[in-house]
């Protein structure tokens, strides 16, 4: 199988499985218990926290383990908004192409009376900075923006937006789920107050993630409890946390890995360029190294995906979390892409274990499968 859906998830690395397995046997106790086994578990938790903090360039006290990025995003938005409310600030400003779960949360906050505004994207898929600037103001509590879009791969202007947010006196949260593990990152010199990440995007386990929260930043814990310094209650999922730390620890030189993966992605795109009607979104903007979001003329995505699975190639029609329906991608819609074009979107997301042979194989067989479809579905 050629797996080209790394933005949806990645296979767990052997080092991750090796690190997690023994934890179920030797550190199953509750890390809050005072007895010996509890203290053993607490030591394992402390070691994993130190490893993860080192890899993320943050203080151990700034690292809150969560069940993934969806929870980290939820905690960041609700916890930072609640803290800002005490200072008379209420409004939330988010990107128009955020992850679908974050957009759903924003909708539910609106229903609860929180004023929410959206930073639009330009047709190139990146946040329109002039429009963003116009949405800042003294009533602003929090700005939330993704570091990289999971569908298009477009990198967002986090530094510029964070500077605007801070100048307006608002907090800044970044959903860096698609960035961390693919591109270099250190919280110490990152412009945001809070950052979300998810282990399964970089060969860690599912159900493990973190919220990085800048020391001293006011925060009202949405799930109160004694764990995680009182900022996230619930007995820690120690095997998952150890897996997350192991996944971070094994990350190599991300800058050179990114260059390698981008080279394979570019080879894929130039190999496909001969197909009539090929259109690649966000090709000219800074993108995640392995992401290619494209359409083959006006061929419906479902038809292409069926052909790809016959080739034993796993790709996707967009975000795994919202695909499977007949609605066009909200990301492409926000970029102004017409519905019929958006319904043809295919996402290839390559990873660090993608091989040149995989891309060569795909380029050898794909055109023959797509060309007959192209003559049926002509551009309208
Ligand atoms: N944010 C982004 C940008 C994502 O791509 C994802 C995963 N699809 C999430 C959040 C949610 O992450 P998790 O699966 O860990 O809840």
């Amino acid at each position: 199988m050629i797996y080209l859906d790394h933005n949806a998830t990645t296979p767990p690395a052997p080092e991750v499985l090796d690190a997690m397995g023994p934890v179920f046997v030797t550190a199953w106790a509750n890390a809050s218990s005072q007895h010996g086994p509890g203290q053993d578990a607490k030591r394992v938790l402390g070691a994993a926290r130190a490893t993860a903090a080192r890899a993320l360039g943050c203080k151990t006290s700034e690292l809150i383990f969560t069940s993934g990025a969806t929870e980290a995003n939820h905690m960041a938005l609700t916890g930072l908004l609640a803290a800002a409310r005490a200072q008379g600030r209420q409004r939330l400003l988010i990107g128009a192409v955020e992850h679908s779960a974050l957009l759903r949360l924003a909708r539910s906050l609106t229903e609860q009376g929180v004023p929410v505004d959206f930073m639009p994207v330009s047709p190139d898929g990146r946040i329109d900075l002039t429009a963003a600037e116009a949405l800042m103001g003294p009533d602003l509590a929090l700005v939330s923006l993704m570091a990289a879009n999971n569908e298009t791969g477009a990198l967002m202007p986090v530094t510029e937006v964070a500077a605007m947010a801070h100048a307006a006196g608002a907090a800044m949260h970044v959903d860096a789920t698609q960035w961390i593990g693919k591109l270099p990152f250190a919280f110490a010199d990152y412009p945001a107050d809070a950052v979300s990440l998810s282990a399964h995007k970089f060969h860690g386990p599912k159900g493990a993630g973190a919220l990085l929260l800048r020391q001293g930043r006011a925060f009202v814990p949405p799930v109160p409890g004694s764990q995680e310094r009182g900022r996230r209650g619930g007995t820690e999922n120690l095997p998952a946390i150890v897996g997350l730390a192991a996944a971070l620890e094994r990350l190599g030189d991300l800058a050179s890995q990114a260059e390698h993966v981008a080279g394979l992605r570019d080879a894929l795109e130039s190999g496909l360029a001969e197909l009539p009607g090929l259109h690649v979104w966000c090709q000219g903007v800074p993108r995640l190294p392995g992401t290619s979001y494209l359409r083959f003329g006006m061929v419906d995505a479902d038809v292409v995906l069926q052909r790809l699975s016959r080739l034993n190639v796993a790709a996707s029609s967009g975000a795994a979390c919202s695909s499977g329906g007949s609605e066009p991608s909200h990301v492409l819609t926000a970029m102004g892409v017409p519905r019929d074009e958006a319904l043809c979107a295919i996402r290839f997301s390559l990873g660090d274990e993608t091989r040149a042979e995989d891309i060569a194989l795909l380029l050898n067989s794909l055109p023959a499968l797509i060309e007959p479809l192209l003559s049926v579905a002509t551009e309208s």
Side-chain angles (χ1 to χ4, degrees):
M1 198 248 298
I2 302 178
Y3 184 76
L4 299 177
D5 201 12
H6 289 80
N7 287 10
T9 197
T10 57
E15 300 93 311
V16 169
L17 299 176
D18 289 348
M20 287 176 73
V23 179
F24 287 101
V25 181
T26 61
W28 49 264
N30 189 323
S32 301
S33 296
Q34 295 306 306
H35 47 60
Q39 293 305 296
D40 288 345
K42 189 177 174 181
R43 268 190 292 279
V44 172
L45 176 61
R49 192 185 303 282
T51 301
R54 208 177 315 118
L56 293 164
C58 69
K59 300 186 172 100
T60 51
S61 58
E62 292 174 323
L63 178 53
I64 306 170
F65 290 120
T66 68
S67 66
T70 302
E71 185 193 345
N73 285 343
H74 191 109
M75 278 174 63
L77 264 57
T78 55
L80 291 169
L81 279 176
R85 206 169 300 129
Q87 296 148 15
R89 288 171 176 262
Q90 246 209 317
R91 189 161 59 93
L92 171 66
L93 179 59
I94 67 171
V97 297
E98 297 303 304
H99 186 256
S100 56
L102 195 143
L103 289 171
R104 278 175 199 229
L105 170 62
R107 210 175 305 142
S108 118
L109 289 169
T110 309
E111 283 159 17
Q112 293 163 41
V114 175
V116 181
D117 285 316
F118 297 86
M119 292 176 278
V121 289
S122 311
D124 71 358
R126 301 188 87 214
I127 292 292
D128 176 339
L129 287 174
T130 311
E133 177 90 73
L135 289 163
M136 302 288 159
D139 60 329
L140 198 56
L142 174 66
V143 178
S144 182
L145 177 63
M146 63 197 340
N149 187 267
N150 45 311
E151 292 186 25
T152 61
L155 305 185
M156 297 299 175
V158 164
T159 306
E160 292 85 342
V161 172
M164 291 177 194
H166 288 148
M172 179 78 195
H173 165 253
V174 173
D175 175 1
T177 306
Q178 292 291 345
W179 179 294
I180 292 178
K182 298 189 183 93
L183 291 166
F185 172 87
F187 189 54
D189 53 27
Y190 202 68
D193 306 295
V195 170
S196 303
L197 63 112
S198 180
H200 74 93
K201 304 293 183 181
F202 49 89
H203 303 287
K206 277 113 190 115
L211 178 67
L212 309 183
L213 183 64
R214 188 79 56 201
Q215 187 138 26
R217 172 57 57 178
F219 179 76
V220 178
V223 184
S226 61
Q227 291 84 0
E228 300 295 302
R229 294 175 175 246
R231 293 167 304 185
R232 195 252 189 187
T235 305
E236 300 86 350
N237 182 357
L238 206 43
I241 290 170
V242 166
L244 184 156
L248 283 168
E249 196 175 26
R250 69 175 282 285
L251 292 174
D253 173 359
L254 291 181
S256 57
Q257 249 173 50
E259 208 174 304
H260 172 72
V261 176
L264 294 179
R265 188 265 322 269
D266 294 346
L268 172 65
E269 290 182 351
S270 47
L272 294 175
E274 287 159 24
L275 285 172
L278 183 88
H279 180 80
V280 183
W281 286 289
C282 297
Q283 197 169 25
V285 305
R287 270 186 300 172
L288 287 173
T291 306
S292 182
Y293 203 31
L294 48 81
R295 67 179 164 87
F296 297 102
M298 295 303 287
V299 184
D300 195 78
D302 290 339
V303 180
V304 177
L305 288 179
Q306 271 168 24
R307 302 279 164 135
L308 285 169
S309 70
R310 259 186 248 163
L311 283 180
N312 223 3
V313 174
S316 114
S317 59
C321 323
S322 52
S323 61
S326 55
E327 282 312 301
S329 145
H330 73 278
V331 178
L332 292 176
T333 303
M335 288 162 60
V337 174
R339 180 190 163 86
D340 55 347
E341 290 180 22
L343 288 172
C344 302
I346 298 290
R347 180 185 68 186
F348 292 110
S349 48
L350 289 58
D352 51 350
E353 85 275 8
T354 306
R355 299 163 312 164
E357 301 92 274
D358 299 333
I359 301 303
L361 206 75
L362 184 60
L363 287 173
N364 264 338
S365 19
L366 190 60
L369 281 184
I370 297 291
E371 265 155 11
L373 299 170
L374 283 169
S375 49
V376 177
T378 47
E379 299 250 2
S380 52

